[in-house]
Amino acid sequence: MKRFGFGAMRLPMLDGEVDKAQFCAMIDEFLAAGFTYFDTAHGYLDGKSELAIRDCLCARYPRESFQLADKLSAGFFKTRDEVLPFFEEQLRCTGAGYFDYYLIHAMSAERYDFYREVGAFDIIPQLKREGRVRHFGMSFHDKAEVLDRILTEHPELEFVQLQFNYLDYEDPVVESRKCYDVCVKHGKRVSVMEPVKGGSLAGFSEDINERFHKMDPEASVASYALRWVGSHPNVKVILSGMSTMQQVEDNLKTFENFKPLSEAESKEIDEIVKELRSRVQNGCT
């Protein structure tokens, strides 16, 4: 499986609904390039993401031709008895039959007790034994020490989905680097969400953009964020929430002939990050 994944959280919209014609075309382009990983969740786009995945992906392609990740999301159930019905509803909404990857969603210290109380760490492994889930992981939003505790107590987790990008790498709230290092310590592969930080790393002020373009006039600013993430060896999947065909094409250009950052490029991005942080501290944008 190639490392680039299609995140279905920011799909093209038309009159308040997913633009399925455009989404189908984007999926066709993505799959034709040899990429096969898709990621959704029940709450994405107020429930419209899973249904769009059903109509535009699962109903149009053989199930074995792609991998689909979905999530057990707090907020849609309150008790252990409601977990399996929620899972069945997700299978119905996506039409997937099974999930290649199933994640406990948005794990944090606060939600850890809830997920244990409703039996998530018992039920998902059982679904895996039944073949309805192929791989068991979690998406994570908290401090590295919390992640270390969870992975110590639950070594059955196979992978962790992290917010990981060059601007959050040393951020004291997100702790991207520290969380990544915890995953390496526990031997867990990393899936990455927000590699372009919701699009905020796709373009800056004219002078900052020019510094990127000087490294390669043909490369987009966003491509450097993706290459930065992909240069970390424990990263196995990099998700991009694409909403236009232009974004799909630009990202495919980056990943079809992927090149890790050079030492010079890495140093320049480090300097750009310092400049961006300095401007924020000084009240500049």
Side-chain angles (χ1 to χ4, degrees):
M1 181 185 71
K2 294 186 178 181
R3 292 197 298 167
F4 179 42
F6 199 135
M9 186 171 67
R10 300 184 180 95
L11 300 179
M13 305 297 289
L14 183 65
D15 298 327
E17 299 294 330
V18 175
D19 184 342
K20 292 183 180 177
Q22 187 176 174
F23 187 33
C24 285
M26 292 162 68
I27 287 173
D28 294 345
E29 188 84 4
F30 183 80
L31 289 171
F35 298 90
T36 58
Y37 190 104
F38 295 83
D39 174 274
T40 188
H42 197 64
Y44 289 176
L45 301 176
D46 295 324
K48 296 171 184 175
S49 176
E50 285 183 337
L51 298 176
I53 286 287
R54 178 193 67 195
D55 296 340
C56 300
L57 177 65
C58 296
R60 298 175 62 242
Y61 283 92
R63 183 62 183 86
E64 65 276 10
S65 67
F66 61 88
Q67 291 82 46
L68 180 61
D70 211 326
K71 305 176 184 75
L72 181 70
S73 304
F76 293 101
F77 54 88
K78 295 181 179 178
T79 68
R80 184 186 186 102
D81 290 342
E82 294 174 326
V83 172
L84 279 177
F86 173 71
F87 175 81
E88 298 289 354
E89 174 69 3
Q90 291 181 286
L91 287 180
R92 185 193 68 78
C93 286
T94 59
Y98 63 90
F99 295 122
D100 300 276
Y101 300 87
Y102 199 62
L103 295 77
I104 297 177
H105 195 185
M107 179 67 80
S108 63
E110 181 180 359
R111 287 179 172 161
Y112 184 35
D113 288 339
F114 170 76
Y115 280 123
R116 286 191 298 177
E117 288 168 4
V118 298
F121 291 97
D122 302 319
I123 294 171
I124 299 176
Q126 180 59 40
L127 291 170
K128 184 180 174 183
R129 288 190 289 270
E130 294 170 359
R132 298 204 286 170
V133 167
R134 301 293 172 85
H135 299 283
F136 173 32
M138 67 176 176
S139 62
F140 184 79
H141 296 274
D142 211 322
K143 300 294 187 181
E145 62 180 333
V146 177
L147 179 59
D148 190 39
R149 174 193 169 197
I150 294 172
L151 292 180
T152 298
E153 295 178 0
H154 292 282
E156 69 272 23
L157 288 161
E158 300 171 69
F159 66 100
V160 180
Q161 191 161 297
L162 294 175
Q163 181 172 325
F164 193 62
N165 56 68
Y166 61 70
L167 203 57
D168 289 327
Y169 193 55
E170 298 293 355
D171 187 277
V173 176
V174 182
E175 293 193 348
S176 279
R177 177 184 59 78
K178 291 181 180 179
C179 287
Y180 176 85
D181 289 345
V182 168
C183 290
V184 172
K185 168 187 168 183
H186 286 271
K188 307 301 180 184
R189 59 185 186 267
V190 173
S191 299
V192 170
M193 53 186 161
E194 303 294 351
V196 193
K197 200 171 172 63
S200 65
L201 305 186
F204 302 95
S205 59
E206 186 175 346
D207 61 317
I208 295 294
N209 287 342
E210 183 60 26
R211 291 174 66 173
F212 282 104
H213 293 320
K214 280 184 177 179
M215 290 188 280
D216 182 353
E218 301 300 318
S220 67
V221 174
S223 70
Y224 286 96
L226 296 171
R227 290 176 60 215
W228 183 92
V229 170
S231 298
H232 290 77
N234 216 48
V235 169
K236 304 305 178 185
V237 178
I238 303 165
L239 298 171
S240 178
M242 298 173 284
S243 54
T244 68
M245 182 62 82
Q246 182 181 8
Q247 291 171 353
V248 173
E249 291 172 346
D250 183 60
N251 290 344
L252 290 177
K253 180 182 176 182
T254 299
F255 282 99
E256 283 180 310
N257 295 292
F258 184 82
K259 296 179 181 179
L261 291 177
S262 67
E263 183 176 351
E265 289 171 326
S266 295
K267 288 182 178 179
E268 178 63 8
I269 289 175
D270 287 344
E271 291 303 314
I272 289 172
V273 169
K274 290 178 183 178
E275 176 64 23
L276 291 171
R277 292 197 181 284
S278 175
R279 292 184 184 188
V280 170
Q281 291 171 357
N282 293 323
C284 302
T285 57

